[in-house]
Structures are given as structure tokens and as C-alpha cells.
């Protein structure tokens, strides 16, 4: 029996965080959530995550800083960007960590089934 | 005899200074012009003979304005100081101009001897300040809109995504759904039958559809408030104008206009219109400005069938966009082709002149096009914009 992919969702907006968690749980992912970057970094240290979906505007840290710190803690985890800024562009620093446009998801995700499929592939390959 | 010559030379010298100074100058006694120089006459479009001997009341819109200014000048001169104040004067053709007046008594101990009056036309300066104020306000609104659209996007994301979870948990035979239904002693098919019978599936679909439309509107508003094009790129104007008109339907300024609500908006877009190289935000700004201008034209009149026609067609050397309405004509002061010299003249209606001026600026300076205004065939006005097409005439 294969292990369910473990996804960490980091977003301070409860409806977004919970709706994603519920949907992914229904799709047989193992899901953890965090409201803040600091809480998410703790969770990354405690348990391995296959993928982290992170909002770019967190109350205690910007998403890019979180990805850089999270990558140091868990370099094989796939870090995925979830942003409400329609003109978001990956910075050279994030690209250097292996992120590509395929790792960026814009809010709202209007087709969660398609998102779950993408997530399954990205979680299995990790960053880069 | 020598004294007479010296006096004559002195008089000629003073007269020369009086007329050659670039500012408007007048000598006023008992509120009547005794002397005026050429720049003052040119500023007001009067002949010297019109002004000399005339009461300064001639230059004010009404008695109140006249009395207020003359009283203030008198009071300040009595205190032994020169006087400097801003007011509004009327030219011979009735056009209002803003002026800065500097009055000084010719004989400080005898005010009846009259005063010299320096006059500076500050209309352009005040209008530039007004435009700078409008621009600043516009930028502030854009910043607010950008922040608001981001927050709205988050809210709608929560709604759309939660709705998908609801649909998934009520309609899909997932192991988790089946297990919970069994715990509750309910057949999952019964749940599905119930939600179909109560048309809940249709409502879930309606929420999803509404959420996606809301996101489209938010995105259009964001793009308008935060022009994303760094450099011009080819646009299909048929599609772009359709999108802007949809955005206009959500514009609160337009929708608060009771006449616009009754106005029929007619689109006459020729198919296969050549593409135009532009920044999306520039076209949006011009179209919304001219729609606002057209809507304003119905204020204060009882139009039977208010109508704004927007035409888009191929022109001899590019693309032509027309805004025609059957409201009031534009004031004569705006019926000019040479918009380059047009500062928004005051008293032509709030917002009308700045809208037109900004639109002209965007069309001429940003889009490399031309803009004309003319009277429409019946009532109203027609604004025509000609834009060059993209290289190669993509269509």
C-alpha cells in the first residue's frame, strides 16, 4: 500500500486554508495546515512534507522568505506558491530553488480536481 | 521750454514702460479705469477704448463679487499696504479667467488719487494645479482599488473553493462520504436524490458560476487600476471595447448618473477591425472618460430617447472609434480641433473639460492618434478617435 502524499497548507485566511484541506483530504492526501509561517516551519521540522502550498502574504513573514527558510529545512519538499496577486512573477531566487511557473497557483483555484492532480505529480517529484 | 521737454520725455518714458511691461497694468480711480496697457487689453480681449472710462464692475460676474473685491482692496490700501488677491474676471466674450491682482495707491496719503493695478492671468496655473490634484486623487484611488481587488480575490477564493468542497461532499461517492452517511444511517443515494429534488446541485453550480464571474470583474478592475502592460502590444479592439463596456456597467460614477441609467448604449463594431498596438489601460481610460462625458451630456435636459452610440470601424490609415450622443452640445469653447492648447476652461460643467483633455492627451501622446469633436447630425456631439494600426495590420 502506497503512502498518501503529505501536504502542508499555509494560509492565514481560514476559508481558503480549510476548503483546500477538506478537498485534498477527500482526495486521499494527508493534510496539515498552518496559519502562520512560523507555525509552518515548526511543522516542517516535526514531520516530512511532500509539498507545501504557501500564501505569499502571511502575517509574520512574506511567502518568499518562508520558501527560502523551508527549503533549508527540507530540500526535497516541493514548495508551491498560492497567490492572490494576478501579476505575481517568480523571483530569480525562487527559480534558483527549482520553482517554475508550474509551481504557482493563482487564487481562486476554480477547478480543485485539476489542482489535486497537479499537486499529486508535483509532490511526487519534489522541487526541481 | 526745457522743463516742458523734460516733462514730455519723462511722460514718454513712463508711457513706454507702462505699455511694454509684459503684465497687465491699469490705473484705476474711483473704480474706473483711467489708463490700461496693451497686455491687459489682450488678456481680456477688450480694446483700450472699451475699458478706459469703464467701471471695473464690467469685469466681474456679479455685484457681489465686484463689491467683495473692491472693498478688500480699499481696506488694505487704507491700512497703508499694497494689496494682493486672487479673483475671477470675465473677458469680453464672457469667458472666465482667474487673475492675480496687485493694487498699490498712487499716493498713499490720498487714496482718491487712484491706484495702479497689476493683473496676472493665472488661469493656466490654477488649472494645472487642479489637474495635478485630480491626478493625485486618481493614483490614490488606484492604490486603493489594487488593495481592494486583492482582498476581494481572497474572499471569492474562499467562497468558490468551499463551494467545490460542498459539491464534492454531497454529490460524489467518495469513501469518506459513504462512511459518514453509513454512520448516520442514511443511504448516500438518498442524499443525492434529496439534493437533486431540492435543486441544490443547481444552486451549487450557480454559486460557482457567480464566483467565476466575480473573479473576471475583479481582474478587469485590477487591470484597469494597475495597468499591466509595460510596453504597447497588439489588441483586438472589438474584444477590448466589449470588456471595457462591461467594466463600465459596474462603474458607480456612471451608474449613479440617473440619465445614464435610461440611456441606450448602442455598439456598432465592424468585424475584422485591424488590431491596434497600445497599452490596455490607455484605451480603458479613454473609453471610460468619454462614456462619462457622454452620460453628463444628458444632465439637465429632458431627452426623449437618450442614446450613446459607440462605433468601431476600419479607417483609411488605421482604426476609427466614435462616441456619438444625442444629449447637449459641447460648449463652444470645447468645439476646437486644437486640443493641444486646451486647458479645461472653468464653468463648463464638473468633470467635462478634464475628461476631454485627459482623453485627448492619452490619444495624442500615448496612442499616437488624433481626436476631434464635432456637433452630431441632430442634437448632441460626436467625438472621433483615429488610431494607427499595428504594424502589418493584424486582424
Amino acid at each position: 500500500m502506497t503512502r498518501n502524499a503529505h501536504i502542508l497548507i499555509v494560509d492565514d485566511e481560514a476559508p481558503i486554508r480549510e476548503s483546500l484541506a477538506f478537498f485534498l483530504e477527500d482526495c486521499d492526501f494527508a493534510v496539515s495546515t498552518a496559519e502562520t509561517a512560523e507555525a509552518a516551519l515548526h511543522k516542517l521540522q516535526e514531520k516530512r512534507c511532500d509539498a507545501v502550498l504557501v500564501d505569499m502574504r502571511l502575517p509574520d513573514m512574506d511567502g518568499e522568505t518562508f520558501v527560502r527558510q523551508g527549503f533549508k529545512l527540507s530540500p526535497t519538499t516541493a514548495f508551491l506558491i498560492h497567490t492572490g496577486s494576478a501579476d505575481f512573477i517568480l523571483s530569480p531566487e525562487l527559480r534558483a530553488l527549482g520553482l517554475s511557473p508550474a509551481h504557482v497557483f493563482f487564487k481562486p483555484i476554480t477547478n480543485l480536481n485539476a489542482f489535486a492532480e497537479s499537486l499529486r505529480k508535483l509532490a511526487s517529484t519534489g522541487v526541481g | 521750454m526745457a522743463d516742458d521737454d523734460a516733462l514730455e520725455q519723462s511722460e514718454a518714458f513712463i508711457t513706454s514702460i507702462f505699455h511694454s511691461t509684459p503684465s497687465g497694468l491699469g490705473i484705476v480711480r474711483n473704480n474706473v479705469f483711467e489708463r490700461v496697457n496693451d497686455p491687459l487689453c489682450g488678456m481680456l480681449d477688450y480694446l483700450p477704448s472699451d475699458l478706459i472710462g469703464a467701471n471695473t464692475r464690467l469685469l466681474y460676474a456679479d455685484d457681489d463679487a465686484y463689491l467683495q473685491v473692491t472693498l478688500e482692496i480699499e481696506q488694505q490700501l487704507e491700512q497703508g499696504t499694497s494689496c494682493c488677491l486672487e479673483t475671477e474676471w470675465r473677458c469680453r466674450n464672457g469667458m472666465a479667467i482667474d487673475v492675480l491682482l496687485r493694487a498699490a495707491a498712487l499716493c498713499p496719503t490720498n487714496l482718491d488719487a487712484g491706484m495702479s493695478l497689476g493683473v496676472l492671468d493665472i488661469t493656466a496655473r490654477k488649472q494645472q494645479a487642479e489637474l495635478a490634484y485630480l491626478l493625485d486623487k486618481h493614483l490614490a484611488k488606484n492604490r486603493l482599488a489594487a488593495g481592494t481587488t486583492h482582498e476581494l480575490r481572497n474572499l471569492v477564493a474562499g467562497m468558490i473553493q468551499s463551494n467545490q468542497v460542498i459539491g464534492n461532499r454531497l454529490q460524489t461517492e467518495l469513501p469518506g462520504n459513504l462512511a459518514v452517511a453509513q454512520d448516520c444511517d442514511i443511504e448516500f443515494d438518498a442524499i443525492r436524490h434529496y439534493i437533486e429534488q431540492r435543486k441544490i446541485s443547481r444552486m451549487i453550480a450557480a454559486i460557482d458560476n457567480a464566483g467565476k464571474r466575480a473573479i473576471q470583474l475583479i481582474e478587469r478592475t485590477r487591470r484597469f487600476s494597475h495597468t499591466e502592460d509595460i510596453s504597447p502590444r497588439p489588441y483586438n479592439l472589438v474584444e477590448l471595447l466589449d470588456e471595457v463596456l462591461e467594466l463600465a456597467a459596474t462603474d458607480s460614477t456612471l451608474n449613479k448618473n440617473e440619465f445614464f441609467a435610461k440611456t441606450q448604449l448602442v455598439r456598432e463594431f465592424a468585424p475584422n477591425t485591424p488590431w491596434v498596438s497600445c497599452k490596455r489601460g490607455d484605451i480603458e481610460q479613454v473609453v471610460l472618460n468619454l462614456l462619462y462625458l457622454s452620460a453628463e451630456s444628458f444632465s439637465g435636459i429632458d431627452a426623449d430617447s437618450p442614446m450613446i452610440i459607440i462605433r468601431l470601424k476600419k479607417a483609411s490609415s488605421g482604426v476609427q472609434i466614435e462616441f456619438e450622443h444625442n444629449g447637449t452640445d459641447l460648449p463652444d469653447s470645447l468645439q476646437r480641433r486644437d486640443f493641444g492648447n486646451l486647458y479645461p476652461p472653468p464653468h463648463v460643467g464638473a468633470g467635462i473639460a478634464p475628461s476631454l483633455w485627459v482623453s485627448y492627451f492619452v490619444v495624442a501622446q500615448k496612442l499616437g492618434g488624433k481626436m476631434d469633436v464635432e456637433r452630431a447630425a441632430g442634437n448632441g456631439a460626436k467625438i472621433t478617435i483615429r488610431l494607427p494600426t499595428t504594424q502589418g495590420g493584424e486582424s
Side-chain angles (χ1 to χ4, degrees), chain B residues 26-103:
Chain B
I27 301 296
V28 176
R29 184 153 62 170
N30 295 326
N31 298 322
V32 173
F33 282 111
E34 287 197 338
R35 296 180 79 168
V36 288
N37 73 351
D38 294 339
L40 181 61
C41 293
M43 188 191 302
L44 298 167
D45 198 26
Y46 277 112
L47 295 170
S49 56
D50 296 327
L51 292 177
I52 293 171
N55 193 291
T56 55
R57 167 67 182 85
L58 174 73
L59 303 174
Y60 292 88
D62 52 45
D63 287 341
D64 285 347
Y66 163 71
L67 291 172
Q68 189 183 340
V69 172
T70 50
L71 187 65
E72 189 170 339
I73 291 175
E74 275 174 26
Q75 284 174 345
Q76 291 197 32
L77 293 183
E78 278 170 5
Q79 290 167 7
T81 57
S82 62
C83 172
C84 183
L85 59 85
E86 288 182 17
T87 188
E88 190 180 279
W89 274 4
R90 298 287 160 146
C91 300
R92 192 169 62 93
N93 62 5
M95 193 174 81
I97 59 170
D98 293 298
V99 290
L100 179 71
L101 303 181
R102 290 181 186 276

Side-chain angles (χ1 to χ4, degrees), chain B residues 272-284:
Chain B
N272 301 321
T273 307
W275 288 35
V276 166
S277 181
C278 61
K279 292 182 182 177
R280 174 189 187 95
D282 291 341
I283 295 286
E284 287 172 334

Side-chain angles (χ1 to χ4, degrees), chain B residues 229-255:
Chain B
D229 293 336
I230 295 167
S231 54
R233 67 181 187 86
Y235 275 102
N236 177 344
L237 280 191
V238 174
E239 288 175 7
L240 186 50
L241 288 189
D242 271 334
E243 287 181 16
V244 181
L245 293 178
E246 200 167 322
L247 179 67
T250 65
D251 185 310
S252 61
T253 309
L254 277 171
N255 287 317

Side-chain angles (χ1 to χ4, degrees), chain A residues 13 15-16 19-20 22-23 25-27 57 82-87 106-113, chain B residues 150-151 153-162 164-165 168-169 174-175 177 208 212 215 219 222 226 228:
Chain A
E13 293 275 346
I16 295 175
S19 61
L20 287 173
F22 294 155
F23 195 92
E25 281 168 2
D26 289 345
C27 296
R57 286 192 189 184
H82 194 206
T83 179
S85 300
D87 46 6
F106 292 99
K107 296 177 183 179
I109 298 173
T110 53
N111 187 339
L112 286 175
N113 281 311
Chain B
H150 185 273
E151 291 307 312
R153 182 178 279 274
N154 270 343
L155 291 173
V156 175
M159 187 186 85
I160 288 182
Q161 290 173 191
S162 297
Q164 289 181 71
V165 175
N168 210 29
R169 292 194 167 180
L174 299 171
N177 293 348
D208 190 59
K212 286 173 182 167
I215 283 294
E219 180 55 16
R222 185 195 67 82
H226 176 68
E228 62 183 340

